[in-house]
Amino acid sequence: MGFSSHKRRLVAGNWKMNGLLEEARQFLDGLGENPSPDHVEVALMPPFTLLHPLYEPLRNKDIRLGAQNVYYEPKGAFTGSVSPMMLRDAGCHYVILGHSERRHIIGETNEMIHAKLKAAWENGLEPILCIGEKLEEREAGRTNEVLKEQLSVLADAPANAPLTVAYEPVWAIGTGRTATEEQVAETHAFVHEELVRLGHDCRVLYGGSVNPGNAESLLACPGVEGALVGGASLKAESFTAIIEAAAKAAEE
Ligand code: PGA
């Protein structure tokens, strides 16, 4: 299939609804001078309130900034929403879309995610599109069907639109339970196949309880080109260890 080896790995930290200014300062200090190794791209998605203050200090460490969500309208009477242009203005390169917490807690639909993808591309943002099945869907043998449906939002996407996909089994997010290497390799192969069919030979990350202890083996699975890290991205020490594991996996 020819994926993976030519792509630089991405380690992206998703802080979710965590992080105050002082905590962010301590995190930055803990990262040291040069946290981005040659073969690994590093990105951080703090909450909206920290985007602008973190842009410059992260840029100085060669870390890209991203947001965790965006609204699809450009501006206007949408109280509480943030537009793609505002994210660009704050220095964002990435935006996470379709995270399972937004799909299942907030009720975001594929239709909304489709509109957000379009708006992100129109404003020069690179979406990290999250997909993943729930435990009962995996147990019912419906994983591929669910992922296919979630990827269908890409059907009319422009061919060269910048895109990263993150496969995050819902049952592995924040639970300490990770997919086995076999499940990861098998599912990533399916996701890549489906992406190629849709005209997007893009990078696919794994996410769900990635930590310093399991990062190297997960990142070495075929078809895994990086990690989307939640809990373990909140502390500089564990985030750095995952970045180092990605660098090691990239060398092998
Ligand atoms: P987790 O979160 O690493 O805490 O499981 C991953 C994510 O939700 O992106």
Side-chain angles (χ1 to χ4, degrees):
M1 205 179 306
F3 55 75
S4 178
S5 57
H6 61 288
K7 290 170 194 149
R8 210 171 154 218
R9 282 173 167 79
L10 170 64
V11 175
N14 171 14
W15 277 10
K16 310 190 179 187
M17 200 171 72
N18 297 291
L20 303 175
L21 258 181
E22 185 48 37
E23 290 165 332
R25 280 194 199 106
Q26 285 171 15
F27 176 85
L28 288 168
D29 285 349
L31 283 185
E33 293 282 301
N34 197 2
S36 303
D38 283 350
H39 303 300
V40 183
E41 183 193 337
V42 183
L44 193 72
M45 288 78 187
F48 287 132
T49 47
L50 291 179
L51 289 175
H52 184 59
L54 288 192
Y55 170 66
E56 199 63 48
L58 288 177
R59 201 181 57 153
N60 292 338
K61 293 183 189 293
D62 207 15
I63 296 177
R64 275 180 159 160
L65 186 67
Q68 300 170 20
N69 181 35
V70 74
Y71 195 55
Y72 44 80
E73 294 289 352
K75 63 177 173 179
F78 303 100
T79 302
S81 297
V82 173
S83 77
M85 204 185 286
M86 290 169 182
L87 295 185
R88 287 295 291 166
D89 200 37
C92 288
H93 174 88
Y94 290 109
V95 61
I96 295 175
L97 293 180
H99 191 279
S100 66
E101 285 148 19
R102 296 207 61 87
R103 290 180 193 264
H104 305 305
I105 302 174
I106 317 273
E108 209 160 280
T109 62
N110 273 339
E111 205 179 354
M112 287 161 80
I113 295 162
H114 180 255
K116 290 178 177 197
L117 277 169
K118 195 162 169 275
W121 284 321
E122 280 166 6
N123 289 277
L125 291 163
E126 175 168 349
I128 298 181
L129 174 66
C130 298
I131 57 169
E133 80 288 0
K134 296 196 231 170
L135 186 59
E136 62 267 29
E137 291 165 338
R138 176 161 284 270
E139 285 173 350
R142 294 186 51 229
T143 300
N144 291 358
E145 183 193 323
V146 170
L147 300 178
K148 194 172 173 175
E149 167 74 19
Q150 291 173 341
L151 287 172
S152 69
V153 294
L154 296 170
D156 62 351
N160 294 321
L163 175 68
T164 293
V165 166
Y167 167 58
E168 301 200 300
V170 179
W171 46 273
I173 296 179
T175 58
R177 184 174 167 185
T178 43
T180 63
E181 288 170 38
E182 197 184 357
Q183 286 170 326
V184 173
E186 191 181 78
T187 314
H188 275 248
F190 174 76
V191 172
H192 275 289
E193 214 172 275
E194 192 55 21
L195 281 165
V196 168
R197 197 183 65 80
L198 291 162
H200 301 277
D201 183 17
C202 72
R203 189 167 50 180
V204 181
L205 315 180
Y206 173 78
S209 296
V210 176
N211 63 44
N214 61 25
E216 204 181 322
S217 57
L218 285 167
L219 282 154
C221 289
V224 175
E225 288 129 356
L228 184 55
V229 186
S233 71
L234 291 168
K235 291 272 174 284
E237 203 185 353
S238 41
F239 194 48
T240 307
I242 294 170
I243 296 165
E244 280 164 9
K248 241 171 142 185
E251 276 166 20
E252 279 157 15

Coordinates of all heavy atoms in Angstrom, one line a residue, residues 12-16 96 99-101 130 166 168-178 206-211 227-234 242, ligand 1:
A12 N 0.9 14.8 19.0 CA 0.1 16.0 19.3 C -0.5 15.8 20.7 O -1.1 14.8 21.0 CB -1.0 16.1 18.2
G13 N -0.4 16.9 21.5 CA -1.0 16.8 22.8 C -2.3 17.5 22.9 O -2.4 18.7 22.5
N14 N -3.3 16.8 23.3 CA -4.7 17.3 23.5 C -5.0 17.6 24.9 O -5.2 16.6 25.7 CB -5.7 16.4 22.8 CG -7.1 16.7 23.1 OD1 -7.4 17.9 23.5 ND2 -8.0 15.8 22.9
W15 N -4.9 18.8 25.3 CA -5.1 19.1 26.8 C -6.6 19.1 27.2 O -6.8 19.2 28.4 CB -4.5 20.5 27.1 CG -3.0 20.5 27.3 CD1 -2.2 19.4 27.1 CD2 -2.2 21.5 27.9 NE1 -0.9 19.7 27.4 CE2 -0.9 21.0 27.9 CE3 -2.4 22.8 28.3 CZ2 0.2 21.8 28.4 CZ3 -1.4 23.6 28.8 CH2 -0.1 23.0 28.8
K16 N -7.5 19.0 26.3 CA -8.9 18.9 26.6 C -9.2 20.2 27.5 O -8.6 21.2 27.3 CB -9.3 17.6 27.3 CG -8.8 16.4 26.5 CD -9.3 15.1 26.9 CE -8.8 14.0 26.0 NZ -9.3 12.7 26.3
I96 N -8.5 20.1 15.9 CA -9.0 18.8 16.1 C -10.5 18.8 15.8 O -11.2 19.7 16.2 CB -8.8 18.3 17.6 CG1 -7.4 18.1 18.0 CG2 -9.6 17.0 17.9 CD1 -7.1 17.8 19.4
H99 N -13.7 14.9 17.7 CA -13.2 14.1 18.8 C -14.4 13.4 19.5 O -15.5 13.9 19.5 CB -12.5 15.0 19.8 CG -11.8 14.2 20.9 ND1 -12.5 13.7 22.0 CD2 -10.5 13.8 21.0 CE1 -11.6 13.0 22.7 NE2 -10.4 13.1 22.2
S100 N -14.2 12.2 20.0 CA -15.3 11.4 20.5 C -16.0 12.1 21.6 O -17.2 11.9 21.8 CB -14.8 10.0 20.9 OG -14.0 10.1 22.0
E101 N -15.3 12.9 22.4 CA -15.9 13.6 23.5 C -16.9 14.6 22.9 O -18.0 14.9 23.6 CB -14.9 14.3 24.4 CG -14.2 13.2 25.3 CD -12.8 13.5 25.7 OE1 -12.4 14.6 25.6 OE2 -12.1 12.5 26.0
C130 N -10.8 13.1 14.0 CA -10.8 11.9 14.9 C -11.9 11.0 14.6 O -13.1 11.4 14.4 CB -10.9 12.3 16.4 SG -9.6 13.4 17.0
A166 N -6.9 10.8 13.1 CA -6.5 10.1 14.3 C -7.5 9.0 14.6 O -8.7 9.3 14.8 CB -6.5 11.1 15.5
E168 N -9.0 6.7 17.2 CA -9.0 6.7 18.7 C -10.2 5.8 19.1 O -11.3 6.3 19.2 CB -9.2 8.1 19.3 CG -8.1 9.1 18.9 CD -8.1 10.2 19.9 OE1 -9.1 11.0 20.0 OE2 -7.0 10.4 20.6
P169 N -9.9 4.5 19.4 CA -11.1 3.7 19.9 C -11.6 4.3 21.2 O -10.9 4.6 22.1 CB -10.4 2.4 20.2 CG -8.9 2.5 20.1 CD -8.7 3.8 19.4
V170 N -12.9 4.6 21.2 CA -13.5 5.3 22.3 C -13.3 4.6 23.6 O -13.0 5.3 24.7 CB -15.1 5.5 22.1 CG1 -15.7 6.2 23.2 CG2 -15.3 6.2 20.8
W171 N -13.3 3.3 23.6 CA -13.0 2.5 24.9 C -11.6 2.6 25.4 O -11.3 2.2 26.5 CB -13.4 1.1 24.6 CG -12.9 0.5 23.3 CD1 -13.5 0.6 22.1 CD2 -11.6 -0.2 23.1 NE1 -12.7 0.0 21.2 CE2 -11.6 -0.5 21.8 CE3 -10.6 -0.6 24.0 CZ2 -10.5 -1.2 21.2 CZ3 -9.5 -1.2 23.4 CH2 -9.5 -1.5 22.0
A172 N -10.7 3.2 24.6 CA -9.3 3.3 25.0 C -9.0 4.8 25.5 O -7.9 5.0 25.9 CB -8.4 2.9 23.9
I173 N -10.0 5.7 25.4 CA -9.7 7.1 25.7 C -9.9 7.3 27.2 O -10.9 7.2 27.7 CB -10.6 8.0 24.9 CG1 -10.2 7.9 23.4 CG2 -10.4 9.5 25.3 CD1 -11.0 8.8 22.5
G174 N -8.8 7.7 27.8 CA -8.8 8.1 29.2 C -9.1 6.9 30.2 O -9.4 7.1 31.3
T175 N -9.0 5.7 29.7 CA -9.4 4.5 30.4 C -8.2 3.7 30.9 O -8.3 2.8 31.7 CB -10.3 3.6 29.6 OG1 -9.5 3.2 28.4 CG2 -11.6 4.2 29.2
G176 N -7.0 4.0 30.4 CA -5.8 3.3 30.7 C -5.8 2.0 29.9 O -4.8 1.2 30.0
R177 N -6.8 1.7 29.1 CA -6.9 0.5 28.3 C -6.5 0.8 26.9 O -7.1 1.7 26.3 CB -8.3 0.1 28.4 CG -8.6 -1.2 27.7 CD -10.0 -1.7 27.9 NE -10.3 -2.8 27.0 CZ -11.4 -3.3 26.9 NH1 -12.5 -2.9 27.6 NH2 -11.6 -4.3 26.0
T178 N -5.5 0.2 26.3 CA -5.1 0.5 25.0 C -5.5 -0.7 24.1 O -5.6 -1.8 24.5 CB -3.6 0.7 24.8 OG1 -2.9 -0.3 25.5 CG2 -3.2 2.1 25.2
Y206 N -2.5 7.3 16.1 CA -3.3 6.5 17.1 C -3.5 7.3 18.4 O -2.6 8.1 18.8 CB -2.5 5.2 17.4 CG -3.3 4.4 18.5 CD1 -4.4 3.7 18.3 CD2 -2.9 4.6 19.9 CE1 -5.1 3.1 19.3 CE2 -3.6 4.0 20.9 CZ -4.7 3.2 20.6 OH -5.4 2.6 21.6
G207 N -4.6 7.2 19.0 CA -4.9 7.8 20.3 C -5.7 7.0 21.2 O -6.5 6.2 20.7
G208 N -5.5 7.2 22.5 CA -6.3 6.4 23.5 C -5.3 5.8 24.5 O -4.7 4.8 24.2
S209 N -5.1 6.5 25.6 CA -4.3 6.1 26.7 C -2.8 5.8 26.3 O -2.2 4.9 26.8 CB -4.9 4.8 27.4 OG -6.1 5.1 28.0
V210 N -2.3 6.6 25.4 CA -0.9 6.5 25.0 C -0.1 7.1 26.2 O -0.4 8.2 26.7 CB -0.6 7.3 23.7 CG1 0.9 7.3 23.4 CG2 -1.4 6.7 22.5
N211 N 0.9 6.4 26.6 CA 1.7 6.9 27.7 C 3.2 6.5 27.5 O 3.5 5.8 26.5 CB 1.2 6.3 29.1 CG 1.3 4.8 29.1 OD1 2.3 4.2 28.7 ND2 0.2 4.2 29.6
A227 N 0.9 10.0 17.3 CA 0.0 9.8 18.4 C -0.7 11.1 18.8 O -0.1 12.2 18.8 CB 0.8 9.3 19.6
L228 N -2.0 10.9 19.2 CA -2.7 12.0 19.8 C -2.8 11.6 21.2 O -3.4 10.6 21.6 CB -4.1 12.1 19.1 CG -5.0 13.3 19.6 CD1 -4.3 14.6 19.4 CD2 -6.3 13.3 18.7
V229 N -2.3 12.5 22.1 CA -2.1 12.1 23.5 C -2.9 13.1 24.4 O -2.8 14.3 24.3 CB -0.6 12.3 23.8 CG1 -0.3 11.8 25.3 CG2 0.3 11.6 22.8
G230 N -3.7 12.5 25.2 CA -4.5 13.3 26.1 C -3.8 13.5 27.4 O -2.9 14.3 27.6
G231 N -4.2 12.7 28.4 CA -3.7 12.8 29.8 C -2.2 12.9 29.9 O -1.7 13.8 30.7
A232 N -1.5 12.1 29.2 CA 0.0 12.1 29.3 C 0.6 13.3 28.6 O 1.9 13.5 28.7 CB 0.6 10.8 28.7
S233 N -0.2 14.2 28.0 CA 0.4 15.4 27.4 C 0.4 16.6 28.4 O 0.9 17.7 28.1 CB -0.3 15.8 26.1 OG -1.6 16.3 26.4
L234 N -0.2 16.4 29.5 CA -0.4 17.5 30.5 C 0.9 17.8 31.3 O 1.1 18.8 31.8 CB -1.5 17.2 31.5 CG -2.9 17.2 30.8 CD1 -3.9 16.7 31.8 CD2 -3.3 18.7 30.5
I242 N 7.1 10.5 25.5 CA 6.4 10.0 24.3 C 7.0 10.5 23.0 O 7.2 9.8 22.0 CB 4.9 10.4 24.4 CG1 4.3 9.6 25.6 CG2 4.2 10.0 23.1 CD1 2.9 10.1 25.9
Ligands
PGA1 P1 -6.1 10.0 26.5 O1 -6.9 10.9 25.5 O2 -4.6 9.9 26.0 O3 -6.2 10.7 27.8 O4 -6.7 8.6 26.5 C1 -6.6 10.8 24.1 C2 -7.6 11.7 23.3 O5 -8.7 11.8 23.7 O6 -7.2 12.4 22.4

